[in-house]
Structures are given as C-alpha cells and as structure tokens.
Amino acid sequence: MPAPHSLTIAHWRSSSYSEGGGQCLQVPVEKVSDLVPVRDSKYPDRTPLVFSDAAWQSFVTAVAVPDGPLSP
C-alpha cells in the first residue's frame, strides 16, 4: 500500500465525466506506487481503496465499453 504521507500530499483528480457533482471517484494525478489508490470525492479524508495496476486497468477497460461492462 502507498505510504500514507504520499497520499496526504497527492493531487487528486476526478473524471471529466463527473461534471463537478461531488459524486465521483478520484485518483492521484501523479503515480504514487505500483498501486492505484481510489477515493470517494464525497469523503476525501477517508482511507482510499487501493488496487493493483492490472485490476484498475481491467476496471477502466470494462466501464469504457460503449455498450456497458463485459459479461463474465
């Protein structure tokens, strides 16, 4: 897991699709480690969930499919 200090100084970004509604996931702008921390924009002080690069890329690919996520 990334060091807590590196997450407290991270610059977080939201998806361009979120339209500033405050209901989105955020990821750090800069790479923190070989892991991808993800937080809820409504609760930025809570501990983020942490995913492997491979798991995060699988998620991003699945939700990017125009007709919805791929079925198992």
Side-chain angles (χ1 to χ4, degrees):
M1 177 169 187
H5 176 70
S6 63
L7 294 179
T8 59
I9 61 171
H11 295 99
W12 296 85
R13 69 177 176 87
S14 299
S15 167
S16 59
Y17 294 102
S18 68
E19 299 178 4
Q23 296 184 19
C24 58
L25 299 177
Q26 296 179 316
V27 295
V29 172
E30 59 282 325
K31 190 154 180 82
V32 177
S33 68
D34 290 338
L35 301 173
V36 180
V38 180
R39 73 179 187 183
D40 184 333
S41 64
K42 293 183 305 264
Y43 305 104
D45 294 330
R46 288 188 181 171
T47 303
L49 298 174
V50 180
F51 300 93
S52 69
D53 281 331
W56 183 250
Q57 286 306 316
S58 292
F59 169 75
V60 170
T61 299
V63 297
V65 175
D67 296 323
L70 302 173
S71 58

